[in-house]
Amino acid sequence: MSDQQDENAPASPEAEPFWRKPLEVMTTPEWESLCDGCGRCCLVKLEDEDTREVYFTEISCALLSKATCQCSDYPNRQSKIPDCVKLTPEIVRTIGWLPPTCAYRLVAEGRDLMWWHPLVSGRAETVDEAGVSVRGKVAASEDEVQIDDLPGYIVAWPTKVPARARKKAMAAGAKRPGGKLP
C-alpha cells in the first residue's frame, strides 16, 4: 500500500475549499469555476481619459446572451471582441473595475465567496436570486447602440452589492474576514 494519497480520491470534508488558495496555483477548471456567470464584467465600460475613472453601462458585449448571462462564443471571444479582457491572477490584481461581487476579486483580496456563489450554494440560480446577475438589466447589446450614445447608458448598479445579496448574508451572519461584506 502506498503512503501517497490517491489524487482522484474525494477531498476530505475538513479540506479547505480550493478558492481559499492563491489564484496562481489554481487549476484551469478551478479558475474557470470561480466565475459565477453574473455577466457584470461583460457590460461595456467607459473610461474617462482625464481621470482614468471607469464607468459601467447597461450595454452588454455583443457575445453576451441576455437569457443565460453567458458568453455565446467563449472559446473565440478574444478574436471576435478585441477588447475582451482575459482574466489572469495578475490582471485581477491590477484592474480596478471588477465588480465588488466578483469571485476573482474577492479571492485576490483574501475574502471568501458570497453565499449566492454557485460553488457555495450548489445552485447557479442563486446568482439571480441575490440580484447579482445582469439578467433583465441589460438595455441593449453593443452592436445595437451607437458609440456616441454610450454615455447615456452609464449606470452605477454594477459597482454595488445588491441589497438582496447583503440581506441574506447579514441574516446568516456571513461576514467576510475582517467583519466586512464586500
Side-chain angles (χ1 to χ4, degrees):
M1 188 167 265
S2 171
D3 288 336
Q4 292 182 345
Q5 183 178 2
D6 179 1
E7 65 184 49
N8 295 322
S12 69
E14 301 85 32
E16 282 285 310
F18 75 84
W19 59 83
R20 293 193 181 138
K21 64 185 179 182
L23 294 172
E24 290 80 6
V25 299
M26 288 185 184
T27 65
T28 300
E30 289 172 340
W31 176 265
E32 292 293 329
S33 71
L34 278 183
C35 177
D36 61 21
C38 74
R40 288 180 180 215
C41 65
C42 299
L43 295 173
V44 173
K45 291 160 279 303
L46 303 175
E47 183 176 359
D48 185 302
E49 293 176 358
D50 297 327
T51 66
R52 310 301 287 174
E53 190 168 350
V54 175
Y55 300 92
F56 278 82
T57 71
E58 59 187 343
I59 305 301
S60 71
C61 166
L63 295 179
L64 184 71
S65 165
K66 293 179 199 173
T68 65
C69 295
Q70 300 291 312
C71 182
S72 61
D73 194 4
Y74 189 75
N76 302 305
R77 69 195 185 282
Q78 291 184 287
S79 62
K80 292 184 174 184
I81 308 293
D83 60 349
C84 177
V85 176
K86 181 178 180 182
L87 294 180
T88 65
E90 180 181 351
I91 289 173
V92 166
R93 287 187 175 91
T94 58
I95 58 175
W97 55 258
L98 285 175
T101 54
C102 176
Y104 295 104
R105 177 178 173 173
L106 293 172
V107 172
E109 293 173 350
R111 297 179 178 191
D112 212 351
L113 300 183
M114 298 292 285
W115 66 266
W116 45 262
H117 193 287
L119 292 171
V120 175
S121 71
R123 299 176 39 246
E125 299 82 12
T126 53
V127 179
D128 287 328
E129 292 165 7
V132 176
S133 84
V134 301
R135 191 178 322 273
K137 300 174 188 169
V138 173
S141 173
E142 66 183 329
D143 54 4
E144 301 170 325
V145 176
Q146 297 295 317
I147 195 163
D148 291 340
D149 294 334
L150 286 174
Y153 291 94
I154 291 174
V155 291
W157 62 262
T159 65
K160 301 181 184 321
V161 177
R164 283 185 284 175
R166 287 183 174 276
K167 285 179 183 173
K168 184 162 184 174
M170 287 179 193
K175 292 189 177 181
R176 305 293 127 228
K180 295 182 180 179
L181 288 170

